[in-house]
Amino acid sequence: MTRELTEITVIGGDKTGLIANVTTLLFERGINVEDLDQAVREGIFRMTLHADTSEMTCTRDELREALSDLGDDLGVEVQVRFPSDRETREIAVLVTKESHCLEALFEAWANDDLGAEISVVIGNHDTLEPLASHYDVPFHDIGDQKGTANEDRLLELLAEYDVDLIVLARYMRILGPNVVFRYEDRIINIHPSLLPAFPGAAAYRQAKEKGVRIAGVTAHYVTTDLDQGPVITQRAFDVPDDASIDDIKSRGQPLEADALLEAVKLHLDDALTVHRGRTSLREEVDPEKHQLGLTSEAQASNPDRPVDGIIDALDTKKLAAPEQSED
């Protein structure tokens, strides 16, 4: 049975001894570290640590206070998330101008099919404010006239709404490490290509220019490396010879919404694990309820032969020589 582990995140300037100080504090309180990952980007240090706190010798409040005091001493920010903190999930959806993914999320939420609350919509333009207002969800525009987002204001809003998951619903801005590091494996993006093909901007145009026959979309966790985070769900579609970029876009947008919604549900159901950049279903997850990759119908349409092995079957040493006729 998979244990639910407490997540501890440390963000701040890169300094010697950060990891040792945190792990020592945990050891002294009977807390066993199960997994630890750390990185530095643009001078910002991030450590994400998962620990078994089931037998710790202090209370949750005491642990939070001790880590907060340590963070103050070291000049870093420390976040602690216990498993029970996640019983009610709060989602922030980040948008620009395209509405289709936000529409899908709102529809699932309105039908009680999401498993979490959409607590806020944040945009770098105000284009989609009417859609958020229709669902009575607060909308905040954090972009300037050119759409450049104020990430300090973004972090303030994410903290104000106590966000558990960030969904980039065609949010056309790159998030900096200050945001990504604070929400490791809790930011899901939808990209209009079958990653790792055609990363970055204008993916449908890239597909058209390269003459692909099959294009697609990818929902993935966001990392500090652009469009290289762990893949969650993907969808594919045909590209006819005469398809324009607008035609490709119209084929892709419904699949963008579908793949993003499925990825969000997988995350909210705690169905995923991430290891060395690859997502997998947890062992206890019912494969009939969730699947990664092709649907069973699509798998059934693929041929299952020929496959390598005919040479072994034709090995003359393994075949009996044919009988010779005396006639």
Side-chain angles (χ1 to χ4, degrees):
M1 181 176 180
T2 302
R3 281 178 294 181
E4 291 188 313
L5 301 175
T6 297
E7 180 181 281
I8 299 170
T9 304
V10 179
I11 307 288
D14 188 21
K15 298 178 181 179
T16 302
L18 282 175
I19 296 175
N21 277 280
V22 174
T23 54
T24 298
L25 184 151
L26 298 178
F27 173 77
E28 291 172 347
R29 288 158 178 79
I31 298 171
N32 184 45
V33 175
E34 300 270 338
D35 178 70
L36 188 152
D37 181 59
Q38 58 92 21
V40 178
R41 292 288 187 278
E42 299 177 17
I44 300 174
F45 170 85
R46 184 270 304 165
M47 177 176 72
T48 302
L49 181 153
H50 295 91
D52 181 6
T53 53
S54 60
E55 297 183 3
M56 65 181 179
T57 58
C58 62
T59 67
R60 291 184 175 190
D61 287 342
E62 287 171 343
L63 177 61
R64 281 195 167 103
E65 183 178 357
L67 285 169
S68 178
D69 290 342
L70 177 62
D72 290 342
D73 292 341
L74 298 174
V76 296
E77 177 186 334
V78 183
Q79 302 172 350
V80 183
R81 299 176 73 241
F82 290 96
S84 60
D85 293 342
R86 307 173 194 139
E87 289 178 0
T88 301
R89 309 292 182 93
E90 301 291 338
I91 297 175
V93 184
L94 273 57
V95 297
T96 295
K97 294 182 178 181
E98 297 181 22
S99 66
H100 54 286
C101 289
L102 181 59
E103 290 177 39
L105 291 164
F106 271 144
E107 183 176 350
W109 178 55
N111 292 330
D112 294 324
D113 191 33
L114 194 58
E117 293 294 318
I118 298 179
S119 57
V120 63
V121 177
I122 303 170
N124 63 318
H125 292 279
D126 63 3
T127 306
L128 300 184
E129 183 172 7
L131 183 57
S133 297
H134 176 75
Y135 285 93
D136 198 26
V137 172
F139 183 95
H140 296 270
D141 180 6
I142 61 168
D144 61 17
Q145 291 183 343
K146 295 182 179 180
T148 302
N150 183 335
E151 285 205 346
D152 290 336
R153 178 58 178 151
L154 174 59
L155 285 171
E156 289 174 1
L157 289 168
L158 296 176
E160 177 183 338
Y161 287 93
D162 196 19
V163 168
D164 295 289
L165 175 66
I166 303 169
V167 180
L168 307 187
R170 299 299 286 133
Y171 181 66
M172 308 303 290
R173 284 291 181 270
I174 297 172
L175 295 177
N178 239 344
V179 177
V180 174
F181 281 171
R182 283 172 168 79
Y183 295 89
E184 193 81 7
D185 293 336
R186 291 191 285 141
I187 308 175
I188 297 177
N189 180 48
I190 184 67
H191 183 76
S193 81
L194 290 173
L195 291 173
F198 313 135
Y204 287 140
R205 180 179 294 277
Q206 293 182 64
K208 170 69 175 176
E209 292 174 349
K210 292 297 183 181
V212 300
R213 296 295 183 180
I214 296 176
V217 304
T218 303
H220 64 97
Y221 284 117
V222 173
T223 66
T224 52
D225 297 316
L226 179 62
D227 295 331
Q228 295 183 45
V231 170
I232 306 173
T233 57
Q234 293 183 300
R235 302 286 189 271
F237 59 91
D238 286 332
V239 180
D241 288 340
D242 59 351
S244 66
I245 294 174
D246 285 342
D247 293 333
I248 297 173
K249 193 173 185 179
S250 66
R251 286 174 176 244
Q253 284 188 342
L255 296 181
E256 291 174 26
D258 184 65
L260 179 61
L261 183 58
E262 176 64 14
V264 169
K265 289 180 178 179
L266 283 163
H267 178 91
L268 292 172
D269 284 349
D270 289 324
L272 299 171
T273 62
V274 181
H275 182 63
R276 294 184 177 178
R278 183 177 177 86
T279 58
S280 302
L281 290 178
R282 295 186 184 276
E283 292 182 359
E284 65 271 22
V285 171
D286 182 359
E288 296 298 321
K289 182 179 180 182
H290 292 301
Q291 57 86 34
L292 300 178
L294 292 175
T295 63
S296 55
E297 294 82 359
Q299 292 179 39
S301 69
N302 285 337
D304 61 2
R305 58 176 54 88
V307 296
D308 285 347
I310 189 65
I311 299 302
D312 291 337
L314 295 177
D315 190 337
T316 56
K317 293 181 180 180
K318 298 178 181 178
L319 295 176
E323 295 184 2
Q324 300 292 325
S325 172
E326 295 183 359
D327 294 336

